[in-house]
Amino acid sequence: VTTTAPADCRIAFADALVALAEADPRIVAVANDSIGSSNLKAFKARFPDRLVNVGIAEQNLVGVSAGLASAGRIPFTCGASCFLTGRALEQIKADIAYSRHNVKLCGMSSGLAYGELGPTHHSIEDLAWTRAVAGMTVIVPADPAETAGAVRAAAAMDGPVFLRISRMPVPPVHSPGDAFVIGRARRLRSGDDVTIVAAGVMVARALDAADRLAADGISAAVLNLSTIRPIDREAIAEAARRGPIVTVEEHTVHGGLGSAVAEVVVTAHPVRMRLLGVPGVFAPTGSAEFLFEHFGLTPEGIRLAARALVHGEG
Amino acid sequence: VQHEIHALHKNAPRVEALAARARRIRAASLRMVHAARLGHPGGDLSAADILAVLFGHVLRIDRANPTDPSRDRFILSKGHASAALYAALKEAGFLSAADLATFMQPLSQLNGHPDRNKVPGVEANTGPLGHGLPIAVGAALAGRMDGATWRTFVLTGDGELQEGSNWEAIMAAAHFGLEHLTVIVDRNGLQQGDATERTVALEPLAAKWRAFGWSVVEVDGHDIGELLATLTGVPLETGRPTCVIARTVKGRGVSFIENRADWHHRVPSDAELAAALRELGEEAS
């Protein structure tokens, strides 16, 4: 059933995970007392013996997941992204990635979603951290359908994955039947003057910005870069050959999606870029939506950045 | 008592064979560290008897099928004692003498800390401390989900227990009642810089493990017979994981290395190696 109403990607995540677990007994869920916030209640009800709650202990969360994988399980390891990645980064590096364990790390409520709770709970470094680690696949789904596709693709591949799942409701941005493939960026809008590259909750805002730019007479393409690593070099190079690039991320601009795109652009086809995101600061107090406004991570903010870039003011 | 004496007597040839194996592990570790000009000989020597007993008798593992799903798992959490682990794997037929000669050489499979993807018989990529026990808890949980009877053994250092991740895993293992999990603490009393008790004290260590819900036994970590009896007798109680606190001497077996913190990662000179091998009676091995 297709709907245009915004929805929380955690619902699609949980539904996809339960469906996969029905078919594959190797799949287990591991959580750090986050069964509610990771939306694992249905999984727990259906598979009580396949959900491991290690309590509030993220280092153990990730180490236990490596051990489960070492004995043939496929753990989907869930926790608030700020704690999962920040608290357990050495375990992610050594126990999961370097050890090449088949663990799917699911960073929930990522980015600025926790708003008023403050910078301790914002997860705006997780992409930089995880994509720096060799062997990691890093995926940021943009809508519920892509979330479900990413869960299935992560389960189907043998190797460590970081899945970044938002709690902010997002409208569908993909047409039904448009299948998610790891490592393939999806062009959601064609355009000749500028390309907006985004991921996660920023994709719907990028599409809105493209509509506004059309009213300005600017033809903007929108690329959904849902796989940050391995990155789709060809799609980015192709965009660069057509014109300048604006990147938009719910993340610090140091080391995340914008940096990843820039690494390709400078080696494949240098063009001018604008990197929108959190500019290397801890966010002030405010709701998530307030913070998006504050940092210009809005359709209007994207429009202004793209227009300046096209007019040579970038 | 008569029964125990009889059992001990019957065990004597096995104990002697394992003691000889431990001497060879010590000698091989020192040779490897000497050749590589790098390593952790103090911790290699304190763990040698434990490794000899585990790999020589306790672990149900098969060098012809090192990834058999029903094998016992051994995780060296104190991954810096890699030379001793590799020497024990050589004794168990997983590695050759020629393999040991490549220790830490460029492109060798034998890194300074073990890599499960390169070395058969290695179960975890340890090195950063406090990682082995959480991984072992996950392995033991998977075994329990399958209703399997294979066991998971972990060897930790003692200074390593200052890492908080261990205590997360210790709490969880007791909560989950992982009776097929056994941790052996190489309680040699020294960490890199000083005595554990002068750094951040661990005692009363047995009481800590008991308070966290584990069955605890303290043994002489250099008494092969005692290690054999203990490690073949786990779990000590049904429904609880087992902690074996093995009282050891860092550098055990070589007089001038024993109980000296600087031998944590000191490298023996040619003369020191020769003297050490003489003390071990392994000059020709």
Side-chain angles (χ1 to χ4, degrees):
Chain A
V1 179
T2 307
T3 165
T4 55
D8 183 336
C9 289
R10 293 177 299 172
I11 297 166
F13 165 81
D15 291 348
L17 188 59
V18 170
L20 281 170
E22 294 280 1
D24 188 340
R26 296 173 301 167
I27 289 177
V28 297
V30 194
N32 59 338
D33 192 28
S34 61
I35 290 166
S37 59
S38 299
N39 201 28
L40 289 171
K41 282 181 181 155
F43 189 101
K44 186 182 181 187
R46 181 69 188 83
F47 307 107
D49 299 332
R50 287 159 63 184
L51 185 139
V52 178
N53 184 356
V54 300
I56 306 166
E58 289 73 27
Q59 298 180 78
N60 198 40
L61 174 77
V62 175
V64 161
S65 301
L68 285 162
S70 78
R73 301 284 160 167
I74 304 175
F76 276 72
T77 300
C78 303
S81 198
C82 54
F83 308 131
L84 172 66
T85 59
R87 191 63 160 264
L89 188 56
E90 186 180 86
Q91 279 76 14
I92 291 172
K93 170 191 161 190
D95 304 358
I96 306 297
Y98 176 48
S99 301
R100 292 211 300 268
H101 276 311
N102 191 23
V103 173
K104 318 306 170 185
L105 300 161
C106 307
M108 310 309 252
S109 308
S110 51
L112 296 165
Y114 276 129
E116 301 90 331
L117 299 191
T120 54
H121 284 57
H122 299 159
S123 192
I124 58 167
E125 304 88 1
D126 50 6
L127 297 178
W129 290 338
T130 54
R131 86 175 183 92
V133 177
M136 288 296 297
T137 292
V138 179
I139 304 173
V140 188
D143 67 3
E146 191 170 56
T147 301
V151 169
R152 287 190 289 268
M157 73 163 271
D158 182 11
V161 175
F162 174 63
L163 268 176
R164 191 187 201 230
I165 311 285
S166 180
R167 68 188 291 129
M168 297 181 66
V170 280
V173 296
H174 298 97
S175 37
D178 181 6
F180 168 80
V181 177
I182 290 173
R184 187 179 302 167
R186 296 201 269 188
R187 191 156 68 181
L188 302 179
R189 188 74 55 86
S190 295
D192 297 325
D193 298 327
V194 61
T195 298
I196 306 167
V197 182
V201 303
M202 301 314 303
V203 173
R205 290 159 188 256
L207 289 167
D208 189 341
D211 290 340
R212 295 169 188 230
L213 286 161
D216 293 339
I218 293 173
S219 164
V222 174
L223 197 62
N224 175 15
L225 189 68
S226 40
T227 310
I228 308 295
R229 178 178 178 149
I231 200 162
D232 189 341
R233 290 186 64 86
E234 193 39 54
I236 294 165
E238 193 272 334
R241 284 192 289 270
R242 279 186 291 108
I245 291 176
V246 178
T247 60
V248 196
E249 59 195 306
E250 187 197 6
H251 187 275
T252 171
V253 294
H254 301 291
L257 174 146
S259 301
V261 171
E263 288 163 12
V264 176
V265 167
V266 296
T267 51
H269 188 90
V271 291
R272 285 177 304 119
M273 291 181 64
R274 283 285 288 270
L275 276 60
L276 300 184
V278 179
V281 297
F282 291 113
T285 305
S287 67
E289 199 47 57
F290 169 84
L291 296 175
F292 277 82
E293 293 277 349
H294 181 79
F295 293 122
L297 299 174
T298 56
E300 190 58 17
I302 299 166
R303 169 184 163 258
L304 292 174
R307 204 174 63 168
L309 193 56
V310 168
H311 293 156
E313 298 158 11
Chain B
V1 173
Q2 278 301 320
H3 178 76
E4 280 175 22
I5 290 170
H6 179 69
L8 213 60
H9 185 68
K10 215 178 66 178
N11 243 356
R14 171 168 296 142
V15 168
E16 185 38 52
L18 291 172
R21 181 186 286 242
R23 283 194 298 276
R24 292 194 298 273
I25 290 171
R26 288 190 164 90
S29 304
L30 289 169
R31 285 195 166 96
M32 290 160 75
V33 172
H34 174 260
R37 312 307 300 158
L38 278 171
H40 297 84
D44 289 334
L45 298 186
S46 75
D49 297 302
I50 297 161
L51 292 169
V53 170
L54 284 169
F55 281 92
H57 186 75
V58 175
L59 294 173
R60 297 168 192 146
I61 50 176
D62 179 2
R63 68 182 176 186
N65 188 10
T67 58
D68 180 347
S70 65
R71 71 194 183 280
D72 285 343
R73 270 72 169 177
F74 171 72
I75 293 173
L76 181 73
S77 191
K78 47 174 286 185
H80 55 283
S82 58
L85 174 63
Y86 299 148
L89 285 168
K90 185 257 177 187
E91 289 291 325
F94 286 77
L95 293 171
S96 68
D99 293 329
L100 297 191
T102 71
F103 179 57
M104 290 207 240
Q105 297 306 305
L107 306 182
S108 169
Q109 71 190 122
L110 304 186
N111 200 347
H113 296 93
D115 184 339
R116 63 184 284 272
N117 292 307
K118 291 182 180 169
V119 187
V122 167
E123 297 283 359
N125 295 18
T126 51
L129 297 172
H131 284 238
L133 189 40
I135 295 169
V137 169
L141 275 169
R144 199 180 64 171
M145 286 177 186
D146 291 336
T149 54
W150 51 263
R151 293 93 42 90
T152 305
F153 293 86
V154 187
L155 179 60
T156 73
D158 51 359
E160 173 177 9
L161 296 177
Q162 290 160 357
E163 292 281 7
S165 52
N166 288 306
W167 300 95
E168 295 181 1
I170 290 166
M171 258 192 287
H175 177 81
F176 296 130
L178 299 177
E179 64 186 24
H180 293 310
L181 173 64
T182 297
V183 170
I184 304 148
V185 180
D186 184 354
R187 182 71 174 113
N188 61 39
L190 289 176
Q191 54 195 98
Q192 177 171 300
D194 200 348
T196 60
E197 301 312 284
R198 279 195 296 269
T199 307
V200 169
L202 299 171
E203 296 297 341
L205 187 57
K208 286 191 171 86
W209 286 83
R210 281 196 191 97
F212 275 66
W214 288 53
S215 299
V216 183
V217 61
E218 298 189 64
V219 303
D220 178 342
H222 302 305
D223 183 326
I224 299 279
E226 199 178 354
L227 286 169
L228 199 53
T230 304
L231 295 175
T232 53
V234 294
L236 298 177
E237 293 175 77
T238 51
R240 286 182 193 270
T242 300
C243 172
V244 178
I245 298 180
R247 289 186 301 271
T248 56
V249 174
K250 198 160 182 174
R252 168 76 173 205
V254 178
S255 58
F256 55 89
I257 300 179
E258 283 187 3
N259 252 326
R260 294 185 47 154
D262 61 324
W263 277 97
H264 176 79
H265 44 37
R266 190 169 145 188
V267 175
S269 67
D270 294 354
E272 285 168 335
L273 177 67
L277 295 175
R278 267 198 305 281
E279 285 194 22
L280 291 167
E282 294 288 330
E283 301 99 311
S285 68

